[in-house]
Amino acid sequence: MQFIGKIVGFFLGYQIFHSFFGALFGAFLGHLADKKLYELGSVRSTIFGKNLTRQSLFTQTTFAVLGHIAKAKGRVTEDDIHLARQLMARLKLDAANQQLAQQAFTLGKESDFPLRQVIQEFREACGQRADLLRFFVEVQMQAAVQDGELDSNEQQILFTIAETLGMSRFQFERMIAMVMAAQQFRSGNFYQEYHYQQNDSQQSQQGSYGGYRQANSAPSIEAAYNVLGVSASDDQNTVKRAYRKLMNEHHPDKLAAKGLPDEMMELAKEKAQQIQAAYDLICKYKGWK
């Protein structure tokens, strides 16, 4: 119950300052207390151990699943390990957390890695916070497409994760398209464009994406639409609502309040930059102000 501190703070603030603004100040302090208690609160995992912080569980689950996805292609390559190390560097993990991340990555490569169990425990530890769970799925998708390939085994693992976290097939397919398109707007700069197409009718039925081709080019307007989950025919108000909704969902401060580890803040900021860049491109293309 992450609102007790706010309620207590509101009433104490009113009692101490005898004003509505004093009550609001007390509620704000209560909010900070709720956040800190949530961060320090311990959770347990049958895989990673007992008495973990939620932040530690988030990080270890992230790297364990990355290891599981890497193994899905048959063998873990040097490129897979390099990408995992790059992510550790981007997250600025200290030596202790790097070791935990490496151990989790190795654990995820095991053939008997209980993916659904790990994800279900993660979902429960996060209090089923939709924005936080969505961000977790996006991190996994981004990592999976970094090498420009996404085979059927990788896609099936990603869908299993999304499904266990309560996402429908439609939501999963839409998020995949958004993540792929967002690669062109990485860090708000022009990035390598990923083109994808369905290989055959069987892949189409499975919702599988393949046939990746990397090209050094500017982000396309079609990619910008995909990042926001809108179409070229949508009016300005519709696009603006989609943009604001995504920015709200990916706001680093709001994700932090829901339990996103400090180390993940850089990824959240990067995602917000991608959304902003896509929206700016659409506005420029349409001549909107």
Side-chain angles (χ1 to χ4, degrees), residues 60-94:
Q60 291 188 69
T61 303
T62 295
F63 281 94
V65 173
L66 288 178
H68 193 62
I69 292 175
K71 184 66 173 180
K73 292 177 292 188
R75 59 183 293 269
V76 178
T77 66
E78 287 298 322
D79 287 340
D80 294 323
I81 296 173
H82 178 66
L83 287 173
R85 287 174 177 167
Q86 277 189 325
L87 181 56
M88 292 180 199
R90 288 172 62 195
L91 298 180
K92 300 178 181 178
L93 300 181
D94 59 26

Side-chain angles (χ1 to χ4, degrees), residues 48 60 63-64 88 96 98-108:
F48 304 115
Q60 291 188 69
F63 281 94
M88 292 180 199
Q98 280 190 32
Q99 184 175 8
L100 288 175
Q102 291 169 355
Q103 292 173 350
F105 187 85
T106 301
L107 182 63

Side-chain angles (χ1 to χ4, degrees), residues 26-89:
F28 173 71
L29 293 180
H31 164 72
L32 296 180
D34 283 338
K35 178 182 175 182
K36 182 56 64 176
L37 288 173
Y38 177 80
E39 292 174 350
L40 296 177
S42 63
V43 294
R44 59 181 302 170
S45 167
T46 57
I47 307 301
F48 304 115
K50 301 178 181 178
N51 299 322
L52 299 172
T53 64
R54 289 179 174 84
Q55 285 83 351
S56 178
L57 179 62
F58 193 107
T59 301
Q60 291 188 69
T61 303
T62 295
F63 281 94
V65 173
L66 288 178
H68 193 62
I69 292 175
K71 184 66 173 180
K73 292 177 292 188
R75 59 183 293 269
V76 178
T77 66
E78 287 298 322
D79 287 340
D80 294 323
I81 296 173
H82 178 66
L83 287 173
R85 287 174 177 167
Q86 277 189 325
L87 181 56
M88 292 180 199

Side-chain angles (χ1 to χ4, degrees), residues 11-269:
F11 284 105
L12 287 178
Y14 185 81
Q15 290 293 325
I16 294 173
F17 298 103
H18 304 290
S19 69
F20 179 71
F21 290 105
L24 289 180
F25 179 68
F28 173 71
L29 293 180
H31 164 72
L32 296 180
D34 283 338
K35 178 182 175 182
K36 182 56 64 176
L37 288 173
Y38 177 80
E39 292 174 350
L40 296 177
S42 63
V43 294
R44 59 181 302 170
S45 167
T46 57
I47 307 301
F48 304 115
K50 301 178 181 178
N51 299 322
L52 299 172
T53 64
R54 289 179 174 84
Q55 285 83 351
S56 178
L57 179 62
F58 193 107
T59 301
Q60 291 188 69
T61 303
T62 295
F63 281 94
V65 173
L66 288 178
H68 193 62
I69 292 175
K71 184 66 173 180
K73 292 177 292 188
R75 59 183 293 269
V76 178
T77 66
E78 287 298 322
D79 287 340
D80 294 323
I81 296 173
H82 178 66
L83 287 173
R85 287 174 177 167
Q86 277 189 325
L87 181 56
M88 292 180 199
R90 288 172 62 195
L91 298 180
K92 300 178 181 178
L93 300 181
D94 59 26
N97 282 315
Q98 280 190 32
Q99 184 175 8
L100 288 175
Q102 291 169 355
Q103 292 173 350
F105 187 85
T106 301
L107 182 63
K109 295 187 298 181
E110 298 296 329
S111 59
D112 59 348
F113 180 71
L115 179 63
R116 284 189 180 274
Q117 180 181 340
V118 168
I119 298 302
Q120 183 59 45
E121 290 180 353
F122 173 75
R123 180 182 184 181
E124 293 172 358
C126 289
Q128 302 191 36
R129 288 165 168 77
D131 292 353
L132 190 61
L133 297 177
R134 176 187 175 88
F135 184 80
F136 175 82
V137 176
E138 287 179 343
V139 170
Q140 303 301 331
M141 288 181 174
Q142 289 170 8
V145 302
Q146 280 291 333
D147 61 357
E149 299 177 357
L150 183 63
D151 64 25
S152 58
N153 289 334
E154 290 177 307
Q155 185 193 336
Q156 183 55 50
I157 291 174
L158 289 173
F159 179 66
T160 297
I161 295 168
E163 184 182 43
T164 306
L165 294 179
M167 294 176 60
S168 66
R169 169 65 75 172
F170 173 78
Q171 291 172 317
F172 171 76
E173 297 286 355
R174 187 181 183 191
M175 186 181 290
I176 279 281
M178 294 170 74
V179 167
M180 291 174 175
Q183 294 297 319
Q184 298 182 35
F185 297 89
R186 184 175 177 186
S187 297
N189 299 317
F190 290 164
Y191 193 59
Q192 291 178 318
E193 183 176 4
Y194 287 85
H195 296 280
Y196 59 91
Q197 61 183 6
Q198 295 171 315
N199 286 336
D200 50 40
S201 59
Q202 180 179 3
Q203 286 183 323
S204 178
Q205 293 174 356
Q206 295 175 343
S208 178
Y209 293 90
Y212 279 94
R213 177 172 59 86
Q214 295 183 352
N216 294 322
S217 60
S220 66
I221 187 65
E222 289 78 13
Y225 291 135
N226 282 331
V227 170
L228 300 189
V230 299
S231 65
S233 61
D234 287 330
D235 59 23
Q236 186 173 4
N237 287 334
T238 300
V239 174
K240 184 177 290 186
R241 282 196 299 269
Y243 158 73
R244 287 177 174 174
K245 181 176 183 294
L246 287 172
M247 289 297 284
N248 182 62
E249 291 174 348
H250 293 86
H251 195 288
D253 290 342
K254 292 187 177 181
L255 288 171
K258 295 178 181 181
L260 185 69
D262 291 340
E263 294 83 4
M264 294 285 177
M265 286 299 107
E266 190 61 33
L267 297 184
K269 292 177 182 177

